[in-house]
Amino acid sequence: MADADSPGAVLRRLVAEAVGVDSVALLADDVDLVERGDDPGTAARLSGIVDTGDTVVGVVPRADPALARRLTGDSDGDDDGSIVGVDDDNVDGRTLRLVFTGRAADRLTGPSGTVIRSVLAERGIEAYRHDGDSPIGLLLVDDRAVVGLFDESGLAALLWSDAPAVREWAAATCRRYLSAAEPA
């Protein structure tokens, strides 16, 4: 088990507090967690989870080009403006709705914003901009809640769960951000 100050432990405590249970009870639920450096790591796990979903709704606080390349399978290193991990071949029939907040929202309106918004639209992603910030990223992938903790280096820890309490909290949080956001 990770030490109490590790990104995974911090993320577990944040989610447990948000859901209204203690960290031990959260571990007893159907919860999985990986940290940067685990094998497979956070990006690989996130990619695998997102690829399985027909509906992806979420709150994105960081637009990390390296993570986006990993999620889209773009291994040539080109930063093509992608900031979300959705392979073009997988878009058909999927619902993709993301609220960009914090640094990610700033990228939508920054110098490369027009290109980024165009790429999102081409991939069928409904993008929204939220003026606030979030310490975590949050996705609902079908009925699975996925929560990511970011640090200066990117995605530090990833937690996912099918537990009803975690899903309900994730859905309520996504609705709250979406209702306060504007279409990008």
Side-chain angles (χ1 to χ4, degrees), residues 56-63 83-84 95-109 116-117 120-121 124-132 174-184:
V56 179
V57 178
V59 177
V60 180
R62 288 277 301 266
I83 61 175
V84 177
T95 299
L96 304 159
R97 186 174 302 127
L98 299 174
V99 176
F100 295 87
T101 191
R103 291 169 56 180
D106 293 344
R107 287 200 62 194
L108 289 178
T109 58
I116 293 169
R117 290 188 309 272
L120 293 171
I125 299 168
E126 295 177 38
Y128 298 84
R129 187 181 183 289
H130 181 270
D131 284 331
C174 287
R175 281 192 301 270
R176 189 176 76 244
Y177 274 87
L178 189 57
S179 71
E182 297 177 1

Side-chain angles (χ1 to χ4, degrees), residues 18-96:
V19 172
V21 300
D22 65 26
S23 294
V24 174
L26 187 62
L27 286 173
D29 283 334
D30 185 20
V31 173
D32 292 298
L33 182 117
V34 294
E35 294 183 1
R36 181 186 304 118
D38 290 348
D39 186 27
T42 55
R45 291 292 181 140
L46 182 58
S47 178
I49 294 167
V50 169
D51 285 348
T52 65
D54 291 325
T55 301
V56 179
V57 178
V59 177
V60 180
R62 288 277 301 266
D64 183 343
L67 179 59
R69 282 191 299 274
R70 167 75 178 156
L71 291 172
T72 60
D74 179 11
S75 60
D76 63 7
D78 292 340
D79 185 2
D80 61 3
S82 301
I83 61 175
V84 177
V86 179
D87 185 344
D88 289 336
D89 296 335
N90 293 334
V91 172
D92 293 334
R94 294 179 82 183
T95 299
L96 304 159

